[in-house]
Structures are given as structure tokens and as C-alpha cells.
Amino acid sequence: DVKLRLVAEKTMQWGLDEKAPIKVFAPKNDENKLSYFVYIDETASMKKPYDNSPHYKSGGFSETNGWEGDTYAKFSKAVVEVLPEIIQDKGENFNPATMICSDAQMAYAHEFLAQKTAGKNKDYEGMKSTHVLHNMSGGYLGETSKRNMFVNLGATPEMIQMALNDPLFKDKGDEYFTPFVKDTLDENGTANPTMIVARYADKGIIPAADTVSEDYAEAVALNHQAAGPIQKSFSRLYEKGVFQGILNPFEDKSVDATKPLPNALYNKECTDVDGKVFPALEIYPENPTYDDARRIKNTNKARLLERLSAKDTTIITGNPNKGAKINPEVKSDEPVIKPELIQMIKDGKGDEVPLFVSWGRCDTQKGHDITVQAFKKFAKTEEGKNAILILGTGLDSNPESKVLAKDMEEARNDPDLKGRIVHIDGWAPAYAMASAADAAIVASRFEPCG
């Protein structure tokens, strides 16, 4: 009531529900009417995005949930249903020609918009939709059951009742719905909303299906690992010239080495639970000389490595809301980093202790196994005899977590590598790591915005 105004309120048919509620809100202080929030019960009840959804994450798949379909398919329909009300609220000077949809969650919007335009609905006259995909590897594509897909594409109560009354449905179960959803099946035979994007782009109903960078579009076209069960479809679109990449100039004004690190804990000294004081990391001056840069780099190197022994992990992550574990694979009282290496840095020999850092989610795509194996080889050479690797990635139920945990355990049990390889399980302090490291390793097998 304080911050939002109600723009519109209506109902729509979804599955067996003839009157599913939808609301649209806008910020009261938004005089230019730039932002609108579409509300449905399911998304409004989430504590965070995807809270009650098992899919749209690595390895995910949406199991059948009665006749309710998938949450984001319902949301996609709701967005299309309230477009006329949003357009009217924006005023007579607002005449949208394109609805841009992002990722698998909004893939169903193309289907519902097409139903409106095919039905000659004047509220949607002349409107097209386009699509931008970010992560196209398996598990991020909204894979779902065929029964869910049947509902997601707009099955009416009458259609659902016909299925319930059909003896074949009792015999075949989910396979019963194959003829109804065949155009959404990927190369694995799984119902996949991203195939709606591929099909509509191929037919020209969607003028453009895009991805976040030119390199990623090429990777999807040429590398099966980059798009798994939809790769062939998008490879064909790439050859036709209707699936390309957005040109991304890399100019992030918020990243500036001369500004304080984003987390306050790094900008001041802080005290551990046992009274140990950790000094602040230094900031680079504008236009530093090479000597200035090396001195600050090595100062931050020593201070970051010391923080890895902190008992309060917020000192390590820099964020009171983000936890982390250090070297969770081993139970040992040995120092996280060899004290003699930290002392070398403090004695002015920091350039003889090369620090490598790497971070990212624990996924085959990110190539952490490559990073660890390469470091193990380099660390045993004369050049790398004092080298240190800090790897930040959270372990979860992903199969890749087991691979990484095994690699890290073997590395830390190697006498030559003890005290020289660190795993931060949880929130990785990327800015602090980058401010202290000699090199950051990005070993991704493919990368949208690498």
C-alpha cells in the first residue's frame, strides 16, 4: 500500500481453474511508468526466485504436479493476458511492437502471444515477440513432463477432462500426451519449452531468437556440450542467420581498481573471534606505476592469504550474509597456507609466490577440474614451486561436486601441494581474490559472456 499501486486485476483460465487471479502493480514513485510487476499466487508466495520450483537449475526437471502445470508457464500466460492493461496504463504514446522474453522461464509467452494474434485480437495487433537465451545447457531449459507441457501450452478444462475419460491415458500415463506436445520435444524426447523458441524462430513467428554474446551463439552452433538436447535445432537456426549473438561491449563502469572493494569488511581492519586482527586490503591509486601496482598486489596477497585462516568466515567472504567453508574435504589442523610463503611475501618476495585464483559454480561447464589438474602439474615445476591456488565454488548435489571434491582431496594429500591449494566452499570473494592475485583462471568449456 505504501510503495505500490494496483494497475489491474483480472482472472484467466489455467488448467482446471477457470478464474486464476492475476494482478499488476507499479511503483508509486515511478512517474515515467517504467516498471510493472505481474503477480500470480505461485510466484508471489516464493521466498526467492525458483523457491518452489525444482527446475531451471543445473540437473533440474519439473515432475508432474497434477493438472497445475509449471509455475513459470502460468506466469508467461499471465504476462500476455495483462499486456493490454499495461499498455493502457502507459498511455497513448506507448505503442509496443516487441515483447522481449528471457530464458526458458518466459518461452511459453511466445505461444500465448501467438494464440492472441492468430485469433485477430485487436489488443495485440502487430505485436511480435523476440527471445534472448542466457544458459542453454541441460537443466536450465525448463525441461518438464509431457503432461505438464500439455497444460503449459493452454489445455482447457474440457481437453483435460477428455484425457481423464480416455482409457489410453490410464494405460500410457505421461506418454499419452506425446502427440499433443510433439513440437516441443528435444533430441532426448523430453518436453522442453526452449523448443518453442526454436520452432517459432524457424517459422519466422519470432523475428529473432538470440543469445547474450556472439561467441556463445557460435559455441551453441558448434559445440554439443554447450546446448545438449537442443543443439541441433539452434545450430540450424545459426546457419540460417536467425540465431546470433548480441554484441556486448565490455565497459562496466562499476568496476574500478581505484575504488574501495564492494564489501565493507575488506575496506577496514577486522577482528576474528579469537582477537586476531586482519588489516584492510589496499586500494589502487589512479594511474599507478608498475612498482605501485606490484607493492599493492603483494600487500593484498599476504592479507588475503592470512584471512583464509579466520575462524569467522564473514572475514573471508567479506559478506555477513554469505557463509563459506575452507577446505571442506580435509579434516586437519595444518595451516591453510604455508606460513613461510606468507612470510616470503611480507619480506618483499611476493613475486616469487605466484597466486592463481578461480571461481564459479560447480558445473562441468566451468572446467574446475581442468584448473585443478593444470595447477597440480605447474606447482611441481621449478617455476611453480611456491605457487598457490585459491578456488571458490560451492559444493552441492551436482555430480560435478563429487569430481571436484575428489580432485581437491587428492591435491591436498599430496605432500608437495599441502598448504598451497585452497578450496572456498560457498561464497567466493571474487573482487578481493582478483585484487590480490597474479592471474585469474577461467577454464570454462564454453561461456555465454566469457
Side-chain angles (χ1 to χ4, degrees):
D1 290 343
V2 175
K3 295 183 177 180
L4 299 176
R5 63 182 176 89
L6 180 64
V7 175
E9 187 172 9
K10 62 194 296 187
T11 62
M12 70 177 186
Q13 177 268 323
W14 184 258
L16 291 169
D17 188 355
E18 293 279 15
K19 293 187 176 181
I22 322 169
K23 297 177 184 179
V24 184
F25 295 96
K28 281 185 176 178
N29 63 358
D30 187 0
E31 294 180 2
N32 294 320
K33 298 181 180 179
L34 298 176
S35 301
Y36 292 85
F37 304 95
V38 178
Y39 166 109
I40 63 172
D41 287 348
E42 289 80 357
T43 52
S45 67
M46 294 181 184
K47 292 186 177 68
K48 57 184 180 180
Y50 324 128
D51 188 47
N52 62 358
S53 174
H55 55 318
Y56 305 118
K57 58 187 177 184
S58 186
F61 178 88
S62 180
E63 303 293 345
T64 299
N65 185 23
W67 297 100
E68 297 176 16
D70 289 309
T71 299
Y72 286 100
K74 184 176 180 181
F75 179 77
S76 294
K77 183 177 182 181
V79 169
V80 172
E81 289 289 331
V82 298
L83 278 177
E85 284 78 10
I86 292 174
I87 292 167
Q88 183 178 3
D89 186 73
K90 286 279 286 185
E92 60 183 20
N93 293 327
F94 184 63
N95 183 26
T98 304
M99 175 177 65
I100 301 175
C101 303
S102 178
D103 282 336
Q105 291 89 325
M106 288 300 296
Y108 296 96
H110 304 295
E111 174 71 27
F112 294 116
L113 183 62
Q115 290 176 17
K116 297 289 188 183
T117 54
K120 308 299 182 185
N121 189 315
K122 290 189 177 180
D123 286 333
Y124 301 86
E125 192 172 1
M127 196 181 295
K128 293 279 191 177
S129 56
T130 59
H131 202 94
V132 179
L133 289 153
H134 170 229
N135 194 328
M136 297 176 66
S137 51
Y140 293 91
L141 301 173
E143 297 98 322
T144 191
S145 71
K146 294 171 182 174
R147 179 165 157 183
N148 279 358
M149 183 60 78
F150 179 65
V151 177
N152 294 347
L153 294 176
T156 63
E158 293 76 18
M159 294 165 70
I160 293 171
Q161 201 57 53
M162 284 178 62
L164 285 168
N165 294 334
D166 191 335
L168 283 175
F169 169 56
K170 294 182 176 64
D171 293 338
K172 291 188 173 184
D174 202 52
E175 288 305 312
Y176 171 83
F177 299 99
T178 299
F180 302 101
V181 302
K182 62 181 185 299
D183 287 340
T184 71
L185 302 183
D186 60 26
E187 292 162 36
N188 292 335
T190 303
N192 190 326
T194 311
M195 291 300 294
I196 298 172
V197 179
R199 185 175 84 252
Y200 277 19
D202 191 39
K203 291 182 176 180
I205 297 170
I206 301 175
D210 227 325
T211 189
V212 291
S213 73
E214 293 171 303
D215 285 351
Y216 190 43
E218 184 179 26
V220 167
L222 303 177
N223 180 351
H224 184 73
Q225 284 185 308
I230 61 169
Q231 191 261 341
K232 289 181 181 176
S233 297
F234 281 87
S235 182
R236 285 194 294 270
L237 294 177
Y238 183 82
E239 291 172 4
K240 287 179 67 173
V242 295
F243 174 70
Q244 297 176 3
I246 298 168
L247 179 64
N248 286 328
F250 189 75
E251 291 184 15
D252 186 346
K253 299 292 191 295
S254 69
V255 180
D256 183 345
T258 68
K259 292 179 181 177
L261 292 167
N263 255 308
L265 274 175
Y266 296 119
N267 302 333
K268 59 186 179 183
E269 71 174 28
C270 48
T271 307
D272 207 353
V273 292
D274 60 0
K276 183 177 179 180
V277 176
F278 293 94
L281 272 65
E282 287 197 22
I283 306 303
Y284 291 83
E286 288 190 25
N287 303 314
T289 66
Y290 178 81
D291 289 339
D292 287 339
R294 293 310 304 171
R295 182 191 63 76
I296 294 170
K297 178 74 69 175
N298 286 321
T299 297
N300 287 348
K301 191 185 295 186
R303 292 178 180 180
L304 178 67
L305 295 177
E306 285 186 320
R307 284 173 183 253
L308 292 172
S309 66
K311 296 180 175 65
D312 179 357
T313 58
T314 61
I315 293 174
I316 299 166
T317 65
N319 193 327
N321 301 314
K322 302 289 186 181
K325 298 175 184 175
I326 303 298
N327 295 348
E329 302 87 356
V330 293
K331 303 288 183 272
S332 172
D333 294 329
E334 293 180 3
V336 176
I337 298 292
K338 283 183 176 181
E340 56 265 36
L341 294 179
I342 297 177
Q343 193 58 50
M344 279 181 67
I345 301 168
K346 289 182 173 181
D347 290 342
K349 299 179 180 178
D351 290 348
E352 297 177 29
V353 186
L355 174 61
F356 298 90
V357 297
S358 185
W359 63 88
R361 71 175 185 275
C362 198
D363 193 307
T364 306
Q365 173 191 341
K366 295 298 183 183
H368 294 313
D369 55 323
I370 299 171
T371 300
V372 175
Q373 296 302 327
F375 179 78
K376 284 164 67 174
K377 291 180 181 178
F378 174 72
K380 295 187 178 184
T381 66
E382 180 61 26
E383 187 183 3
K385 63 183 180 183
N386 295 324
I388 296 170
L389 171 68
I390 303 175
L391 176 63
T393 183
L395 299 175
D396 53 27
S397 58
N398 190 313
E400 192 65 16
S401 289
K402 294 179 180 177
V403 175
L404 180 66
K406 182 172 179 291
D407 282 349
M408 295 297 275
E409 185 176 15
E410 288 178 358
R412 273 195 299 277
N413 285 331
D414 187 326
D416 293 333
L417 299 177
K418 282 193 175 181
R420 294 206 285 140
I421 185 165
V422 184
H423 177 200
I424 302 177
D425 176 15
W427 183 257
Y431 282 100
M433 288 161 65
S435 78
D438 296 291
I441 301 173
V442 182
S444 302
R445 289 177 164 89
F446 53 93
E447 195 64 73
C449 291

